[in-house]
Amino acid sequence: MNYNLIDKDDKRYIEYISNEKLISKETDAMDLIAACFENNTNLLIIHYETLSEDFFNLRTGLAGAILQKLVNYKIKVAIIIANEENLNDRFREMIIEANKRDDYRIFRNITDAENWILA
């Protein structure tokens, strides 16, 4: 698993950056959780480019399964999606609901994601 460990404002988070291994199955959530625990953090930033197409197709259930696993392990997640226009309507509706939550949210840029996750 390819990620950066970021120390900022006396906090630490994982930034998942791998373009080689996309998050494409439910078990990938366990790899993310393990990376967080190994590095003594519960904060995670995931970029759009690291997510498979199945993640954005809500019919597959992948997004819900992965996000629920992260929530269950109390991992606070910021997902960066710079361009929402290419997403389907159902996924955009999910973004609206997600952004009301305190355990995971969707952002357009790293600055907003960091500000939320480090607050």
Side-chain angles (χ1 to χ4, degrees):
M1 176 164 281
N2 194 8
Y3 60 85
N4 289 330
L5 182 61
I6 310 293
D7 287 304
K8 188 171 185 176
D9 298 335
D10 295 325
K11 293 188 180 181
R12 171 181 285 190
Y13 70 87
I14 298 285
E15 181 179 20
Y16 186 65
I17 58 170
S18 179
N19 287 334
E20 297 168 7
K21 181 168 181 341
L22 297 179
I23 298 170
S24 60
K25 55 190 180 300
E26 190 174 340
T27 56
D28 292 337
M30 296 310 294
D31 293 336
L32 295 170
I33 292 164
C36 287
F37 285 1
E38 289 169 6
N39 290 286
N40 198 30
T41 185
N42 69 331
L43 306 175
L44 175 65
I45 292 181
I46 300 172
H47 291 268
Y48 170 84
E49 296 80 12
T50 66
L51 299 165
S52 70
E53 286 186 34
D54 283 346
F55 186 89
F56 299 103
N57 180 358
L58 296 184
R59 290 184 185 166
T60 67
L62 184 63
I66 287 175
L67 292 171
Q68 189 59 53
K69 273 205 187 313
L70 294 168
V71 167
N72 289 348
Y73 283 88
K74 299 187 180 352
I75 305 294
K76 187 175 180 179
V77 183
I79 300 174
I80 300 172
I81 302 175
N83 186 2
E84 294 176 14
E85 287 76 36
N86 295 332
L87 301 174
N88 65 53
D89 290 339
R90 290 198 61 215
F91 197 86
R92 280 189 276 188
E93 288 172 13
M94 190 200 84
I95 289 172
I96 292 168
E97 291 303 313
N99 286 345
K100 296 176 184 175
R101 301 179 60 101
D102 288 328
D103 38 22
Y104 61 87
R105 292 193 182 174
I106 313 296
F107 297 92
R108 291 183 184 259
N109 60 63
I110 187 76
T111 303
D112 292 343
E114 272 189 342
N115 288 339
W116 177 75
I117 210 163
L118 296 173

